Structures are given as structure tokens and as C-alpha cells.
Amino acid sequence: VAKMEERNALRFYTPKMHADARRRLKLASELRQALQRQEFHLVYQPSVEMKTGRIVAVEALIRWQHPERGLVPPDEFIPIAESLGLIRQIDQWVLQRACEQLRLWDDARLPSLRMAVNVSAGSFSHPDFLASVGQALLASGVSPKRLLVELTESAILRMGEDTERAMLALHNLGVAVAIDDFGTGYSSLAYLKLPAVAYLKIDRSFVTGLPASGNDVAITEAMVAIARSLGLHTIAEGIETESQHEFLLKAGCQEGQGYLYSRPVSPEDIARLLAPRPGASVTKRLSVVPPH
Ligand code: C2E
Ligand code: MG
Ligand code: MG
Ligand code: MG
């Protein structure tokens, strides 16, 4: 009977769909073990002040080093982790690890950075979320002002009425929220008024067409205008060219991330990017010494 059912069921799927479903199922069981097996690590992408090019923040991005498959991108496993109820554990691990890393850079006397961490809807709206943020801050000694929680518009839509309570709790703790992938989520703009929301991240899909696409120009300018009138800080995502940088700078966007400045890199690479290069500092010092 099982065989017959299986055969019947299979008729509704193409071989490709079947293979995808099997891959997801296998990935799911492996994902359950990935945390204990320490297969996750974080990379960090710098965020630069548009006017000066100075690195002012980093965004922590998770990577899964699978023993056989190699590097699995987050877009592939985060949705599975969300549907399996594993996302809270993962996001909590990321929060802790990212705060610890910020502390290590502080101890190494690097210039002070802000740390942005991506959080899924299921983690953010859970009653224990506040405690796990508090714990990560306490354990690392990082000030809440330096932590930024990134939430996508679609996550906000999914959370519904939990959003306001969770945002307020975070705000009371002193941690700000960034709206990630802004403009892609089909949600209302009402949440922009919430006190915790202090940053708006312009999605890469609008940056890609700059400055040639009239539509992207119009949308980006409108986003910067909304942000400015609400007193929000704007960060553009996915800047890859000089002309995108120039356009966004002129449009009044304050900060940018993208391959033009740096890909997501290891903690050691962040330290190298921020440490004054010995050669450079000598040259600089020499250049201000007046000639005798
Ligand atoms: P996101 O938060 O919007 O992150 C930006 C994504 O764009 C990253 O992909 C980054 O590597 C990529 N990116 C940055 N600059 C450029 C560029 O100039 N060009 C292009 N083509 N891409 C660029 P990544 O690391 O694959 O992450 C994908 C998404 O996965 C993230 O989107 C975020 O939503 C989610 N994610 C990553 N880490 C975590 C995590 O720790 N927890 C949760 N819940 N989600 C995470
Ligand atoms: Mg993000
Ligand atoms: Mg984004
Ligand atoms: Mg994204």
C-alpha cells in the first residue's frame, strides 16, 4: 500500500520538484545539527560614511560551512530554519557572537564601530528576544547604543501586532532598529513612526539601476526624502559602482554598503581595514612636519 501511495503521490511532482523536496528535507536534518557541530561562522560587511569613506559600522552576516556541500548561502537555509523553528537559536548565537566580536575589536583598540545584526520575525516577536539581546550585551560589555537590529519589511508584515510591543521593548533597552530591504516588502509605512526605528536601508534592487534608470532615481530620492523628514538615518545597500556612490551622496544618503567598498569579510580583515597602515601613517606624519 505504501508503495502504491508513493507512486500516486509521485505523479503530482516533476522529478525536479521531487529532488528539491528531498534536498530541503536533508538540509533540514543537517541544519538541526549545524549549531552543535559549529558549522556556522560570521562574516562582516563594512558600512561607510558616504561623505568621507570612513568605516563606521559593520553588518554581521551568517555563513554555513557544510562538510560536504561547502558554503551554503543564508538565503537558502534561513527560510528552512524559520519553518523548522530553529531560527531563534541561530539568531541568538549570531547576536552573542557579533557582540563578542565587537568587544574583541575594542580590546584591540580599533576605532569604535556600530554592529548590525539581522533578526528574523520569529526571533524578534518572541517574548524571550529582549532577554537574549540583554544577555549578549551584558556578556560582551557592549553598549546598547552600538547595536542595531535589522528587520526586513516583510518580517514586520508577518509579525503583525507583535511588532509594536517588541519594538518598544527594544527601544527601552536602548537598541535601535533598521528597516532592511526597504521598499520591497509591500507593508504600510506606519511602522516608520515607531520610536525604535532609526535607520532605513535602501534595498539593492533600487541602487542597481542608479543613476541611469529614471524610476530608480525617483524611488531612491523619495526614500531619502521620507527618511530625512522623519529624522531617520539612510543606508544604501549593494553599491557596486562609483556612479552609484556619487548619485547617492548627492541625493543625501548618509551611509553605504556594497562591493565597491568591501565584500563581507573575516574579523581579521576588518581589523586590517581599520588599523592604520604603518606605511600610510608615517607618510601622513611626515607630510605635516614643516620643512626646516
Ligand atoms: P541582507 O541583510 O539584506 O544583506 C545584504 C546581502 O547583500 C548580503 O547577502 C550581502 O553579502 C549582499 N551584498 C552586499 N553588498 C553587495 C553588493 O554590492 N552586490 C551584491 N550583489 N550583493 C551584496 P548574504 O550574506 O547572502 O545574506 C542574504 C540575506 O540573508 C541577508 O540580506 C539577510 O536577510 C539574511 N541573513 C544573513 N545573515 C543572517 C542572520 O544572521 N540571521 C538572519 N535571520 N538572517 C540573516
Ligand atoms: Mg541586513
Ligand atoms: Mg538588505
Ligand atoms: Mg536581504
Side-chain angles (χ1 to χ4, degrees):
V1 176
K3 245 189 185 150
M4 267 181 67
E5 272 175 1
E6 205 182 305
R7 213 164 31 218
N8 282 338
L10 280 176
R11 273 194 310 179
F12 298 101
Y13 298 96
T14 64
K16 164 104 174 47
M17 282 166 74
H18 189 62
D20 282 354
R22 278 182 49 174
R23 181 180 153 80
R24 266 180 72 91
L25 216 63
K26 189 149 183 291
L27 219 56
S29 74
E30 292 162 342
L31 202 49
R32 291 183 204 282
Q33 298 169 311
L35 260 183
Q36 292 120 270
R37 296 186 177 170
Q38 304 190 10
E39 291 170 358
F40 294 122
H41 68 273
L42 296 179
V43 287
Y44 300 88
Q45 186 177 38
S47 190
V48 310
E49 188 176 60
M50 301 289 292
K51 271 186 201 155
T52 59
R54 198 166 59 95
I55 299 173
V56 289
V58 294
E59 176 177 4
L61 294 159
I62 196 167
R63 296 292 178 262
W64 181 15
Q65 187 67 50
H66 189 285
E68 292 121 41
R69 286 177 221 268
L71 215 54
V72 185
D75 285 332
E76 201 165 316
F77 71 84
I78 292 290
I80 301 177
E82 286 172 343
S83 65
L84 291 174
L86 295 172
I87 195 65
R88 281 180 46 220
Q89 264 173 285
I90 294 177
D91 282 347
Q92 186 178 354
W93 177 83
V94 172
L95 263 168
Q96 266 170 16
R97 193 64 212 86
C99 288
E100 273 167 25
Q101 186 57 60
L102 195 56
R103 178 55 188 262
L104 290 174
W105 285 326
D106 284 352
D107 289 348
R109 297 277 179 274
L110 291 184
S112 176
L113 296 171
R114 196 179 68 231
M115 173 68 75
V117 171
N118 295 283
V119 172
S120 290
S123 306
F124 190 83
S125 60
H126 193 278
D128 290 348
F129 179 65
L130 199 70
S132 69
V133 173
Q135 203 189 325
L137 291 171
L138 204 65
S140 58
V142 163
S143 155
K145 285 191 216 72
R146 296 170 66 197
L147 182 65
L148 188 61
V149 168
E150 296 197 2
L151 264 185
T152 64
E153 265 190 314
S154 42
I156 290 171
L157 192 66
R158 255 178 293 156
M159 289 191 295
E161 50 192 33
D162 285 337
T163 310
E164 219 171 312
R165 172 195 53 79
M167 290 255 195
L168 193 64
L170 207 58
H171 181 65
N172 289 337
L173 192 65
V175 176
V177 168
I179 306 302
D180 205 350
D181 303 351
F182 184 67
T184 64
Y186 306 103
S187 54
S188 97
L189 296 177
Y191 60 80
L192 292 182
K193 296 189 297 186
L194 297 174
V197 176
Y199 293 78
L200 200 152
K201 295 190 79 171
I202 299 172
D203 191 64
R204 174 162 62 90
S205 59
F206 306 110
V207 172
T208 308
L210 298 177
S213 154
N215 288 338
D216 287 340
V217 165
I219 292 171
T220 313
E221 283 175 341
M223 286 177 172
V224 174
I226 289 180
R228 182 180 294 146
S229 53
L230 292 171
L232 307 177
H233 191 94
T234 44
I235 306 173
E237 301 189 272
I239 302 174
E240 294 183 353
T241 68
E242 285 291 349
S243 53
Q244 289 165 353
H245 171 96
E246 285 309 316
F247 177 86
L248 286 157
L249 176 65
K250 282 205 193 96
C253 178
Q254 286 129 319
E255 227 176 287
Q257 279 177 267
Y259 297 168
L260 177 66
Y261 318 109
S262 170
R263 291 189 176 248
V265 296
S266 69
E268 296 74 28
D269 283 342
I270 292 290
R272 270 190 283 275
L273 283 171
L274 281 165
R277 278 169 297 140
S281 66
V282 169
T283 321
K284 215 173 178 184
R285 218 176 300 135
L286 281 179
S287 70
V288 295
V289 172
H292 313 66

